[in-house]
Amino acid sequence: MSENQREIDEKTEEEVREAFPDEGRDHPGQPGDFEVNPSEEAGQQGEAGTEIEKATPTYEWKEITKEFFVAIKDLQMGELMHHELFGLFEAMSAIEMMDPKMDAGMSCKKEKPLRFHTAVSNGQLKLDNLEFSELIGVFDSIYACLVSWLEGHSLAQTLFTCLYMHFPHAIEEKSLKAFCISIYKLTDYIRKIITHASVFEEEDFQPSTFAYTLYPDVSDTKACAMLKEAEEELQRKAKANPENAEIIQFVICRLKFARILLQIFVNLWRMKSTPLSEVEMNDVARQLSSLSDIIPAMRKSIERGTQPDANSDAPNPMGFSPMVNQRLLPPTFPRYTKIKDRHESVTFLEELIQRLRLACKVTNCTHFYTALNFFMDFSKKSGHCLLSRSMLRFIYLNLFSMNSFTDYLKESAKVFIAPPVLMSRNALSSNAQARECVESFFNYTPNMNTMYVFLQICGYNRARQRDKLARLLEEFSKLQQEAQRLDTYLYMQDSKSETTSQYLACFGTWILYQCLRAMELYLLSGLELELYSVHEYLYIFWYLYEFLFGWIVSSLTRAESFLLDQDCIVDQSKQASNSKSRKAKSKKKKAKPYFREILYNQALQNVCGGFYKGLTGFVKDGRIQQPAAIFDNEKIRFDHRFAPFACLKTPPMVPYFEFRLMRSHLLKLSSAELYLAAAKHFHQGRTILESIPNPDAEMLEILHVTKVNYVVMNLLANGHKKDSKVQPEFDFSHHRYFPVIKQL
């Protein structure tokens, strides 16, 4: 080895020791390691010293700089030499390792990472006698780190940058110690619930704890008791010290928030083994309401705590070291983590509580039909929050075991269309072979899993939902075939009976409706995710208007008609005691179960028709920018957009030539006629929506869109900006699927 090389190696070792003086001593999250006996440590090192020296290999270094430059003199700039022992994998590893720009384990900054023992010995970390403003600052910073973790960052770069979280048992301040331990427990429950729900992807959540121990030795009861004890002690201090009573109350409210939140997660986690009763779920709802009442006090007192330094990445001046876990990260491209602002964190916690309160209402969904609607609506409102989506699925699916889920699906089919074989008073239900065939259909695992996975997909983020729906449609294709065979067999059995009932394709209609919902969600989510270009809107809205919503309305009408027919058959078979009771019952049976939903889908069909014909008018006037013909093939784009539908036989995928034929017929009309036809569709959609009693928020949003677009289409039909070739603007700020058209 050359003298220069030896000096470089010795200098490198000294720099490493200076940069990480505590390396190997602070094992994260191990309680009781605060004090180290120097004599014991020296004895252990002495015993192992000779063995280490014997095991140390001897290196013979050789300078190869001259040989290297001689070997590459024939290579041009940018050229690489390939060898069978040094391929792409080795080349990438060589580029990444020890490179500060590529290796997250190498600090890009020169300052030493502050560690727990070093901070305590230097007086930079207090373990006792913290001021109340310092407690508020640390608590708010820990909440901000927790929220940052829930938004997809790693624990090593968020929560565990807090040095207090490394050794909470070494903290002497009761309130801070109890708070840190409770956050440990809370983190563990959040991680377990999210992992159990399994509706996350790598961009949503990082479950790794990086070898930190989440304190299983501290029971849930003890953690809550420690918080309660700290609250009571602070209450006594507030009474004894009236001038500081207000700021002490602000500290107490943060402890109380952590205690109640931990109790909620402890109670909900018990659902994994034992379903919660209605009384227990009401207690959870009451506790969530209590948390909502604490939020204003937390927001009001944020400025009373210590604030982060302007030029520092640490969320608080004391207790945090952003680079402390840098060497725990894998050798990947360094990810800069910005801890969320305290005001934004409190707002996130407030919204999280509201979402959890809404998720708890899923227990009121008595069958699959209402549960699917609940999941879809919840995804639209809370799709960005992984914890609330996971909690929704965790609560709902733990209400049913896999065995009870089969009975649950039967009840859902019974509520949706009332198949005669599932109705106790129907003769077909007494047919043993028919019952056995139905049991086989529901107990067949792929059939049940398809419906189970549909609910699960609604718990993913909006982008992942679309990817998974495309694959789910293949499973629906197989399920439709199973349902068709079952309906054929039941029809043959029903035709042999002497009853007046006429069997319909009940199970096929039930499965078809769920499949159509998946298709609708797949197409509309592309609008929400901005996956379509403006020139593609034409055939997207065409498909929704001409086919998809028409199929949905048809399946609902078919199910409703069969339900009413079944009710009439039951009424005829009953022996009424008097005419008055018969009259009352007949009036009750006239109520249409899907009247509201049929109207809503008819309104959506008209809205899509308005966009389709309005866009055709824009194409007629040359206002829609088209891609260059040399780089474009509309048939390929069309087939790509609707490729997931190709596996379905019902409804069959509409081919491109049919779209082209219908568009060519429509383009024979003048642009004014097309705008006028679009205005009529928007007006019809508005009329239908206004006729629906008690419209929800989404219906009101669509109603606003129809009103504005009706006016715009009428203006264009009357010649407004007739000579303009500027592409209209489609504003999705009012509704995620249906934009407001603005002609600039």
Side-chain angles (χ1 to χ4, degrees):
M1 180 188 299
S2 65
E3 292 296 330
N4 293 336
Q5 184 65 31
R6 186 178 294 106
E7 290 178 2
I8 293 173
D9 293 340
E10 291 176 356
K11 185 177 180 181
T12 303
E13 292 178 3
E14 290 177 2
E15 290 179 351
V16 170
R17 284 196 296 270
E18 290 177 0
F20 303 100
D22 300 323
E23 188 67 28
R25 189 175 63 176
D26 289 1
H27 183 64
Q30 296 296 334
D33 281 346
F34 178 68
E35 295 183 358
V36 180
N37 192 330
S39 61
E40 293 180 1
E41 187 176 7
Q44 293 173 358
Q45 292 177 353
E47 294 174 1
T50 55
E51 296 181 2
I52 294 175
E53 290 177 359
K54 293 179 181 178
T56 302
T58 302
Y59 296 102
E60 296 182 2
W61 298 96
K62 180 181 179 182
E63 180 72 27
I64 63 169
T65 304
K66 294 181 179 180
E67 290 84 349
F68 175 77
F69 282 107
V70 170
I72 66 170
K73 66 179 181 179
D74 294 330
L75 292 177
Q76 300 298 324
M77 184 64 67
E79 288 186 337
L80 294 175
M81 182 176 289
H82 176 74
H83 190 271
E84 59 182 6
L85 298 179
F86 193 81
L88 179 61
F89 179 80
E90 289 80 9
M92 293 302 296
S93 300
I95 292 172
E96 290 179 1
M97 292 180 62
M98 309 302 290
D99 184 354
K101 298 186 296 299
M102 297 297 294
D103 190 347
M106 299 301 295
S107 172
C108 297
K109 299 183 179 180
K110 298 301 181 182
E111 70 269 12
K112 299 178 183 178
L114 187 65
R115 296 177 179 274
F116 183 85
H117 299 305
T118 306
V120 172
S121 61
N122 294 341
Q124 297 176 279
L125 194 68
K126 291 184 180 180
L127 299 181
D128 197 6
N129 299 322
L130 278 79
E131 298 179 4
F132 298 120
S133 60
E134 292 175 332
L135 286 174
I136 292 176
V138 173
F139 291 168
D140 286 348
S141 300
I142 291 177
Y143 278 130
C145 290
L146 181 66
V147 170
S148 300
W149 172 55
L150 292 176
E151 290 194 335
H153 297 289
S154 67
L155 277 173
Q157 293 179 293
T158 54
L159 197 60
F160 292 148
T161 60
C162 178
L163 299 178
Y164 287 115
M165 298 294 293
H166 290 198
F167 295 92
H169 284 302
I171 302 172
E172 299 176 16
E173 178 71 40
K174 278 189 176 181
S175 58
L176 182 56
K177 178 178 180 179
F179 184 82
C180 290
I181 291 177
S182 66
I183 293 297
Y184 257 118
K185 302 293 293 185
L186 183 62
T187 302
D188 188 32
Y189 277 111
I190 290 175
R191 187 178 63 86
K192 289 192 293 187
I193 287 175
I194 291 178
T195 304
H196 184 267
S198 188
V199 289
F200 68 93
E201 297 290 344
E202 59 181 358
E203 68 268 20
D204 294 322
F205 184 67
Q206 298 186 35
S208 175
T209 61
F210 296 91
Y212 279 84
T213 304
L214 299 184
Y215 286 98
D217 56 321
V218 179
S219 65
D220 303 328
T221 305
K222 183 179 179 181
C224 293
M226 291 172 67
L227 286 170
K228 188 66 176 177
E229 184 180 349
E231 293 175 37
E232 293 173 352
E233 182 177 333
L234 288 173
Q235 290 286 7
R236 290 191 293 268
K237 288 184 179 180
K239 292 179 181 179
N241 193 2
E243 61 271 14
N244 292 329
E246 184 182 22
I247 193 171
I248 292 175
Q249 291 299 327
F250 293 146
V251 177
I252 292 173
C253 75
R254 285 159 171 78
L255 294 172
K256 185 178 180 181
F257 189 91
R259 176 173 58 83
I260 297 176
L261 190 60
L262 177 59
Q263 290 174 344
I264 290 172
F265 278 89
V266 170
N267 291 333
L268 291 176
W269 179 250
R270 288 194 294 110
M271 294 184 67
K272 191 174 182 297
S273 56
T274 306
L276 297 183
S277 63
E278 184 178 354
V279 175
E280 291 173 320
M281 289 302 300
N282 291 335
D283 290 339
V284 171
R286 178 180 52 79
Q287 290 175 322
L288 288 170
S289 299
S290 301
L291 290 180
S292 299
D293 297 336
I294 299 175
I295 290 292
M298 293 177 61
R299 179 181 286 109
K300 175 184 176 182
S301 57
I302 289 177
E303 305 301 331
R304 300 293 296 272
T306 54
Q307 301 300 311
D309 295 334
N311 298 323
S312 175
D313 294 333
N316 198 62
M318 184 181 67
F320 290 84
S321 178
M323 304 295 292
V324 68
N325 296 316
Q326 191 70 11
R327 295 186 67 84
L328 293 179
L329 301 176
T332 59
F333 184 79
R335 296 175 176 87
Y336 174 72
T337 300
K338 176 67 175 176
I339 303 300
K340 204 169 184 66
D341 180 76
R342 297 183 186 182
H343 288 277
E344 295 177 357
S345 300
V346 173
T347 301
F348 180 93
L349 291 174
E350 183 180 23
E351 294 174 351
L352 174 64
I353 299 306
Q354 299 299 327
R355 289 190 289 265
L356 293 179
R357 292 176 66 180
L358 179 60
C360 290
K361 294 181 181 180
V362 74
T363 54
N364 299 327
C365 297
T366 56
H367 54 85
F368 185 86
Y369 177 71
T370 56
L372 184 61
N373 289 336
F374 189 94
F375 270 72
M376 287 183 173
D377 292 339
F378 191 89
S379 177
K380 295 174 184 177
K381 299 174 183 176
S382 311
H384 65 283
C385 178
L386 172 64
L387 180 56
S388 58
R389 289 188 278 115
S390 300
M391 185 61 73
L392 172 65
R393 185 173 185 270
F394 178 82
I395 293 174
Y396 185 73
L397 295 182
N398 278 298
L399 295 175
F400 309 97
S401 63
M402 291 299 290
N403 293 329
S404 61
F405 192 75
T406 302
D407 298 331
Y408 175 73
L409 289 179
K410 289 181 187 177
E411 185 63 24
S412 300
K414 181 179 177 181
V415 171
F416 180 78
I417 199 170
V421 70
L422 297 180
M423 308 303 291
S424 58
R425 296 181 180 179
N426 193 284
L428 192 59
S429 63
S430 59
N431 188 318
Q433 293 180 343
R435 291 200 312 271
E436 182 180 356
C437 191
V438 171
E439 290 293 331
S440 299
F441 173 77
F442 280 101
N443 289 327
Y444 185 49
T445 303
N447 295 348
M448 185 173 59
N449 283 346
T450 301
M451 309 300 286
Y452 189 87
V453 169
F454 195 8
L455 276 179
Q456 183 183 17
I457 287 175
C458 294
Y460 282 90
N461 64 55
R462 305 293 285 172
R464 291 291 181 173
Q465 280 183 24
R466 194 171 189 274
D467 294 338
K468 295 180 181 297
L469 283 171
R471 295 192 290 269
L472 182 68
L473 291 174
E474 298 179 6
E475 302 302 322
F476 265 117
S477 176
K478 302 173 185 176
L479 186 55
Q480 285 180 347
Q481 295 177 12
E482 295 289 335
Q484 184 179 2
R485 284 195 288 266
L486 176 61
D487 285 328
T488 302
Y489 177 79
L490 294 177
Y491 174 79
M492 295 173 60
Q493 295 295 321
D494 187 56
S495 61
K496 297 177 183 178
S497 64
E498 298 178 356
T499 59
T500 57
S501 63
Q502 185 175 0
Y503 186 82
L504 191 69
C506 296
F507 291 101
T509 304
W510 177 56
I511 297 299
L512 173 62
Y513 177 71
Q514 314 304 334
C515 180
L516 291 170
R517 294 293 302 276
M519 296 171 66
E520 173 195 356
L521 184 58
Y522 176 82
L523 282 184
L524 292 178
S525 62
L527 294 166
E528 180 184 6
L529 298 171
E530 301 179 4
L531 301 180
Y532 309 134
S533 300
V534 174
H535 60 269
E536 294 183 286
Y537 289 171
L538 183 62
Y539 48 74
I540 297 297
F541 284 112
W542 167 80
Y543 206 102
L544 291 166
Y545 164 63
E546 291 285 0
F547 299 97
L548 197 52
F549 280 117
W551 274 88
I552 292 175
V553 171
S554 176
S555 61
L556 286 172
T557 305
R558 190 178 192 183
E560 183 179 76
S561 175
F562 190 75
L563 283 174
L564 295 176
D565 291 343
Q566 290 292 99
D567 291 338
C568 292
I569 294 173
V570 172
D571 285 343
Q572 293 174 3
S573 63
K574 290 181 179 179
Q575 295 182 355
S577 57
N578 52 60
S579 60
K580 183 177 180 179
S581 64
R582 284 198 301 271
K583 184 177 180 181
K585 289 181 180 179
S586 62
K587 288 183 178 179
K588 183 179 179 181
K589 298 300 181 181
K590 288 181 180 179
K592 296 183 178 181
Y594 301 124
F595 177 74
R596 180 186 178 91
E597 189 164 0
I598 289 174
L599 284 180
Y600 179 60
N601 282 281
Q602 286 176 341
L604 295 183
Q605 186 179 17
N606 277 280
V607 171
C608 292
F611 282 113
Y612 165 53
K613 294 183 179 178
L615 284 162
T616 307
F618 289 134
V619 172
K620 181 85 173 180
D621 285 344
R623 301 188 188 187
I624 300 295
Q625 296 179 3
Q626 301 293 334
I630 191 174
F631 301 114
D632 179 58
N633 188 316
E634 189 178 56
K635 183 180 184 303
I636 293 177
R637 284 192 283 106
F638 182 94
D639 293 339
H640 172 70
R641 292 304 183 192
F642 304 106
F645 302 163
C647 62
L648 297 171
K649 293 184 178 179
T650 309
M653 177 182 169
V654 185
Y656 170 73
F657 76 84
E658 189 166 342
F659 160 71
R660 188 172 179 178
L661 180 63
M662 297 179 71
R663 181 182 59 181
S664 62
H665 284 303
L666 200 61
L667 285 173
K668 294 178 180 179
L669 301 175
S670 65
S671 58
E673 291 175 319
L674 291 171
Y675 295 141
L676 185 60
K680 290 180 180 178
H681 277 296
F682 285 123
H683 177 70
Q684 184 65 23
R686 170 187 174 181
T687 304
I688 296 174
L689 288 171
E690 289 177 341
S691 66
I692 299 177
N694 302 321
D696 56 25
E698 185 167 10
M699 292 180 182
L700 294 176
E701 292 173 357
I702 300 175
L703 183 61
H704 172 75
V705 172
T706 58
K707 290 179 179 179
V708 176
N709 288 345
Y710 170 72
V711 174
V712 172
M713 290 295 109
N714 269 328
L715 289 174
L716 292 173
N718 293 326
H720 178 67
K721 294 188 176 181
K722 183 176 181 180
D723 298 328
S724 174
K725 298 298 181 182
V726 179
Q727 180 169 288
E729 178 185 346
F730 296 88
D731 182 10
F732 287 90
S733 61
H734 299 278
H735 193 271
R736 61 177 61 85
Y737 301 145
F738 306 112
V740 168
I741 301 174
K742 298 179 180 179
Q743 181 61 57
L744 304 177

